[in-house]
Amino acid sequence: MPETPLWASHTSRLRQRDICRPSQQRTSEMAAAAAGETWCRETVPRVMELVSPRLPQRDACALLSLSPWCHRALTANPKLWEVLDLHETKKAGEQLISALSLARYRHLKVVNLEFAQDIDDWHFLHLKEMGTIFLEELEFLNLNACQRISDKGIEAVTSLCPNLRALSIYWIVGLTDASIEHIVKNCKKIMDLNLSGCKNISDRGIQLVADNYQELKKLDITRCIKLTDDALQEVLQKCSALESLNLYALSSFTDKAYTKIGYLTSLTFLDLCGAQNLTDDGLTCISRCGSLTYLNLTWCVRITDVGVVAIAEGCRSLELLSLFGILGVTDTCLEALSKSCSKSLTTLDVNGCTGIKRRSSSDLIEMFPFLSCFKVHS
């Protein structure tokens, strides 16, 4: 049999290689596609599971449109959609309605609309009229500074969330006692209520709070300037489980009410900044709140060493104390505080206390070695 020429053998190998190349390329492409499919199906969900809890919700929403796999992985994580954060956003009302129409938000626990723009009563009334939105699991609603909301909006939104535990309506100055009526009627489980800056709420509104929320833990009535001693006394006598009480910038109360703060044996946070009528007698009663860790007495101008010494003896767990601007206190009160609170105090503001001579940072650290902050009021 004649021997095959070398050139013919070489040509045959070239043809065979050219025939095989498309097949090999297709196999390689198929393998790459399969690997990509596996990566998307297995790796992407794992990565999303690890990363999503650490992402701001707006970033998580942006990732939804990245790929079907990202969308599927993110929407499958119910914890990720327990919070709807629309604070400081534009067209927040439209976004709220759109979000609450999606199945993934059916188990919302927190809605934050603080300083949100373009939201008013209509949006809440529309949600109520839709008849399909019921925020049964919602626990915290933040409407801070949503100035276009009135009592009607409060009635509508609270009717949708009967199990609400915390409500913040700071600086919605148009709200009246009617809003409090709607809140206590629709939300029976409130434990944390922020009414700061709601200047039109009167004693009648606070009486409703006292009558309906006797297990209340936190109350902020900063700058609720229509309130009198009578209303505050009702709260202090009926809401004896309070742990946090903010009475910032309320100069009209007197010792008639302040003495009742001593009933609050679980109180840990008390802000009395600007309590111009608080005297040593009132502060001595407050000293019965032995669990206090935060006490702001800034501009409580009638206080002297007598009241602060009583606090030192009764409140031995203080971590923050501000005496800013009080002229009637001297080194005597610091000596009393150093004996009882030297190991707990980390913040002490005695700026403007001209009667205290040892008020430099080095002097204070010598008496309170764990101090790290020397200024509360600014």
Side-chain angles (χ1 to χ4, degrees), residues 38-59:
T38 301
W39 189 86
C40 288
R41 185 176 62 253
E42 298 178 3
T43 306
V44 168
R46 291 176 186 170
V47 171
M48 289 297 103
E49 184 178 357
L50 292 172
V51 172
S52 60
R54 298 171 176 81
L55 285 176
Q57 193 177 65
R58 294 177 193 182
D59 292 343

Side-chain angles (χ1 to χ4, degrees), residues 223-254:
R223 293 194 174 92
C224 292
I225 56 177
K226 289 188 175 183
L227 303 184
T228 70
D229 281 340
D230 292 338
L232 182 56
Q233 285 185 95
E234 286 294 310
V235 168
L236 298 175
Q237 290 171 346
K238 294 181 178 179
C239 304
S240 57
L242 277 170
E243 297 174 359
S244 175
L245 180 61
N246 198 330
L247 305 178
Y248 185 98
L250 291 170
S251 59
S252 60
F253 294 143
T254 71

Side-chain angles (χ1 to χ4, degrees), residues 99-158:
L100 296 183
S101 301
L102 300 173
R104 63 176 178 266
Y105 284 112
R106 287 176 184 167
H107 302 288
L108 266 178
K109 294 186 182 298
V110 176
V111 172
N112 184 4
L113 291 164
E114 185 172 51
F115 290 96
Q117 300 178 39
D118 310 308
I119 186 165
D120 55 35
D121 291 344
W122 181 88
H123 297 100
F124 292 131
L125 291 167
H126 180 67
L127 285 170
K128 183 178 179 180
E129 291 166 359
M130 286 171 66
T132 57
I133 305 298
F134 192 56
L135 304 175
E136 192 173 21
E137 297 180 34
L138 193 69
E139 296 179 356
F140 176 47
L141 176 61
N142 186 341
L143 299 176
N144 289 347
C146 293
Q147 292 283 4
R148 292 164 64 183
I149 296 174
S150 73
D151 295 330
K152 290 182 179 179
I154 295 297
E155 179 183 19
V157 70
T158 55

Side-chain angles (χ1 to χ4, degrees), residues 60-348:
C61 290
L63 287 173
L64 287 171
S65 58
L66 189 61
S67 76
W69 295 102
C70 282
H71 188 282
R72 191 175 304 170
L74 289 168
T75 54
N77 183 358
K79 289 287 184 183
L80 190 60
W81 310 106
E82 289 181 350
V83 176
L84 179 57
D85 188 359
L86 296 175
H87 81 281
E88 298 181 355
T89 59
K90 295 180 180 179
K91 297 184 178 179
E94 295 177 13
Q95 292 191 56
L96 178 66
I97 292 172
S98 297
L100 296 183
S101 301
L102 300 173
R104 63 176 178 266
Y105 284 112
R106 287 176 184 167
H107 302 288
L108 266 178
K109 294 186 182 298
V110 176
V111 172
N112 184 4
L113 291 164
E114 185 172 51
F115 290 96
Q117 300 178 39
D118 310 308
I119 186 165
D120 55 35
D121 291 344
W122 181 88
H123 297 100
F124 292 131
L125 291 167
H126 180 67
L127 285 170
K128 183 178 179 180
E129 291 166 359
M130 286 171 66
T132 57
I133 305 298
F134 192 56
L135 304 175
E136 192 173 21
E137 297 180 34
L138 193 69
E139 296 179 356
F140 176 47
L141 176 61
N142 186 341
L143 299 176
N144 289 347
C146 293
Q147 292 283 4
R148 292 164 64 183
I149 296 174
S150 73
D151 295 330
K152 290 182 179 179
I154 295 297
E155 179 183 19
V157 70
T158 55
S159 71
L160 301 175
C161 39
N163 295 311
L164 205 62
R165 297 181 68 83
L167 175 63
S168 189
I169 50 177
Y170 155 79
W171 201 41
I172 308 182
V173 295
L175 299 185
T176 70
D177 293 334
S179 282
I180 305 298
E181 291 178 8
H182 301 317
I183 293 166
V184 301
K185 176 184 176 181
N186 295 327
C187 306
K188 306 291 188 182
K189 300 179 181 180
I190 294 288
M191 304 290 282
D192 182 346
L193 185 59
N194 184 353
L195 305 176
S196 174
C198 295
K199 299 180 180 181
N200 289 309
I201 291 176
S202 72
D203 284 2
R204 187 169 70 88
I206 295 303
Q207 179 72 60
L208 288 169
V209 171
D211 290 340
N212 289 274
Y213 295 137
Q214 296 187 14
E215 298 301 315
L216 195 66
K217 299 293 185 184
K218 296 182 179 182
L219 178 64
D220 188 340
I221 50 176
T222 294
R223 293 194 174 92
C224 292
I225 56 177
K226 289 188 175 183
L227 303 184
T228 70
D229 281 340
D230 292 338
L232 182 56
Q233 285 185 95
E234 286 294 310
V235 168
L236 298 175
Q237 290 171 346
K238 294 181 178 179
C239 304
S240 57
L242 277 170
E243 297 174 359
S244 175
L245 180 61
N246 198 330
L247 305 178
Y248 185 98
L250 291 170
S251 59
S252 60
F253 294 143
T254 71
D255 280 349
K256 179 182 176 183
Y258 292 134
T259 54
K260 306 299 189 298
I261 294 176
Y263 294 155
L264 307 179
T265 56
S266 299
L267 197 67
T268 60
F269 178 103
L270 179 60
D271 196 326
L272 293 169
C273 177
Q276 297 179 11
N277 296 317
L278 174 66
T279 72
D280 290 332
D281 290 339
L283 195 55
T284 298
C285 291
I286 292 170
S287 71
R288 296 200 297 265
C289 301
S291 299
L292 272 180
T293 59
Y294 181 111
L295 179 59
N296 187 359
L297 298 174
T298 295
W299 293 121
C300 294
V301 293
R302 298 180 67 181
I303 295 301
T304 72
D305 286 336
V306 174
V308 181
V309 169
I311 289 293
E313 293 173 349
C315 306
R316 295 172 175 265
S317 300
L318 279 179
E319 297 174 9
L320 180 148
L321 175 64
S322 176
L323 302 174
F324 181 97
I326 302 177
L327 304 181
V329 293
T330 69
D331 293 85
T332 299
C333 75
L334 289 191
E335 291 170 7
L337 286 165
S338 68
K339 292 176 182 177
S340 58
C341 303
S342 63
K343 294 183 179 179
S344 62
L345 270 175
T346 58
T347 300
L348 178 62

